[in-house]
Amino acid sequence: MRDFSVADDDVARRRRTFTDLYSDHHSWLHGWLRKKLGCSQRAADLAHDAFIRVLTLAEPHTIKEPRAFLATMAGRLLIDGARRRRIEQAYLEALAIQAHDAGMPDPEAIHVALEALEKIAVMLAGLPDKNREAFLLSRLDGLTYSEIAIELKVSASTVKNYVAGALVHCYNTLYGAEQPS
């Protein structure tokens, strides 16, 4: 049979050690980090992380110079954070280069797209407001006729007529056919 009182005593001793260490040195560590970083919030986060690491130590009661130990621990956390930020920045730069190489259209493609958008704008400009709105809600927003009907406060069959009228108008504008009277 296991003696739980020994284990309980060890847990109580570790808790006391940590509590004493925290209450005696937390504000000092926070101030030391704040001076180094110039940011109270980052200093608080790093001080917290340093004490979390102390919690994971097998024998925190063996720490002889708590401030030197905590400063070393916090310094390592600063180095780890800087290293992580450099890696993240390099990764983001590599992603930007990859996106630029793979997805950036050439100036001619941009020009063609802008011309197409201008033609679309001209086509839509000649539409009645309800037809244009129904058409855009259908084609750009992907709404169903029923959803558009709720949005425009009309019936779904009216929305169908609006969209059909917009399509006919766009076709006629695009191909130069005369508008039906």
Side-chain angles (χ1 to χ4, degrees):
M1 189 165 187
R2 189 166 174 215
D3 184 8
F4 288 106
S5 63
V6 173
D8 290 343
D9 289 343
D10 186 47
V11 168
R13 182 173 45 86
R14 287 176 54 88
R15 184 176 295 139
R16 257 191 323 278
T17 299
F18 180 78
T19 303
D20 291 345
L21 185 68
Y22 187 88
S23 63
D24 293 345
H25 303 289
H26 178 267
S27 60
W28 169 83
L29 181 61
H30 180 258
W32 183 79
L33 286 167
R34 190 178 59 244
K35 286 177 191 169
K36 282 195 158 304
L37 298 170
C39 175
S40 184
Q41 289 84 7
R42 281 197 58 218
D45 288 344
L46 279 170
H48 173 78
D49 291 346
F51 279 100
I52 292 294
R53 289 211 178 164
V54 169
L55 276 175
T56 64
L57 294 176
E59 298 181 24
H61 61 279
T62 61
I63 298 171
K64 301 293 181 211
E65 299 290 330
R67 289 190 177 184
F69 178 83
L70 289 167
T72 301
M73 181 89 62
R76 289 178 183 161
L77 288 168
L78 283 169
I79 291 168
D80 290 347
R83 185 178 301 130
R84 183 173 54 251
R85 281 189 297 283
R86 281 195 308 272
I87 291 170
E88 288 172 355
Q89 185 60 38
Y91 179 71
L92 290 173
E93 288 171 5
L95 282 177
I97 290 169
Q98 183 181 11
H100 177 72
D101 291 346
M104 189 64 166
D106 64 313
E108 186 177 336
I110 293 171
H111 179 70
V112 168
L114 287 174
E115 282 184 1
L117 286 172
E118 283 183 70
K119 286 181 183 177
I120 292 169
V122 168
M123 282 190 288
L124 295 177
L127 280 173
D129 290 342
K130 295 274 188 176
N131 292 58
R132 182 176 47 254
E133 191 171 357
F135 179 77
L136 292 173
L137 288 171
S138 171
R139 298 295 184 226
L140 293 182
D141 295 339
L143 298 181
T144 65
Y145 288 173
S146 299
E147 292 169 327
I148 296 168
I150 293 168
E151 180 85 25
L152 298 181
K153 297 181 172 95
V154 295
S155 68
S157 61
T158 301
V159 170
K160 183 177 176 183
N161 290 335
Y162 286 158
V163 173
L167 289 170
V168 168
H169 174 80
C170 290
Y171 180 86
N172 290 336
T173 304
L174 190 61
Y175 295 107
E178 289 189 24
Q179 295 279 348
S181 316

